[in-house]
């Protein structure tokens, strides 16, 4: 029974949520903005350290460019699953993917 549960869990572990329920939430000093992952777009957010550019493409999100000194947020790369986030601390920008419904953990 335990072996069967372990093996079947591998197939459901990183199963993405339906694309129509996935949203990108950008929080900054300018407020909270919500974008659908179904539409490719580029968002520019102004923070205390300059501008941060967020890119949504092919149902994935990344910080494409930022005026912050170390660019750790840019090196984070693409995120595409519900609950994942990217933070640009110097510019006070948080990019988070929100998903509706159930994920592999709550099934």
């Amino acid at each position: 029974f335990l072996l069967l549960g372990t093996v079947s869990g591998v197939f459901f572990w990183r199963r993405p949520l339906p694309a129509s329920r996935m949203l990108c939430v950008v929080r900054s000093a300018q407020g909270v903005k919500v974008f659908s992952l179904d539409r490719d777009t580029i968002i520019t957010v102004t923070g205390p350290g300059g501008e941060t550019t967020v890119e949504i493409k092919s149902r994935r999100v990344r910080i494409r460019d930022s005026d912050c000194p170390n660019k750790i947020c840019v090196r984070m790369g693409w995120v595409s699953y519900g609950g994942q986030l990217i933070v640009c601390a110097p510019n006070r920008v948080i990019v988070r993917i929100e998903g509706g419904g159930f994920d592999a953990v709550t099934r």
Side-chain angles (χ1 to χ4, degrees):
F1 179 72
L2 291 174
L3 181 61
L4 178 63
T6 303
V7 172
S8 65
V10 171
F11 295 107
F12 298 107
W13 177 250
R14 295 290 287 195
R15 188 171 148 189
L17 295 170
S20 61
R21 295 184 181 178
M22 302 293 286
L23 300 172
C24 171
V25 179
V26 179
R27 297 177 193 270
S28 67
Q30 297 172 342
V32 177
K33 297 180 183 178
V34 180
F35 302 90
S36 172
L37 291 183
D38 293 332
R39 176 184 244 174
D40 295 351
T41 188
I42 294 176
I43 305 126
T44 302
V45 181
T46 304
E51 290 187 343
T52 300
T53 305
V54 179
E55 179 180 13
I56 300 173
K57 185 174 184 180
S58 301
R59 298 187 183 125
R60 302 180 304 161
V61 181
R62 72 174 176 158
I63 293 184
R64 186 164 97 173
D65 189 34
S66 183
D67 291 336
C68 59
N70 295 328
K71 301 207 185 295
I72 295 171
C73 55
V74 175
R75 292 187 299 213
M76 290 289 296
W78 295 96
V79 295
S80 57
Y81 294 102
Q84 289 183 309
L85 59 95
I86 304 172
V87 177
C88 182
N91 277 343
R92 297 183 184 142
V93 175
I94 300 172
V95 177
R96 180 178 171 91
I97 296 183
E98 298 288 338
F102 298 101
D103 61 11
V105 177
T106 58
R107 283 184 187 239

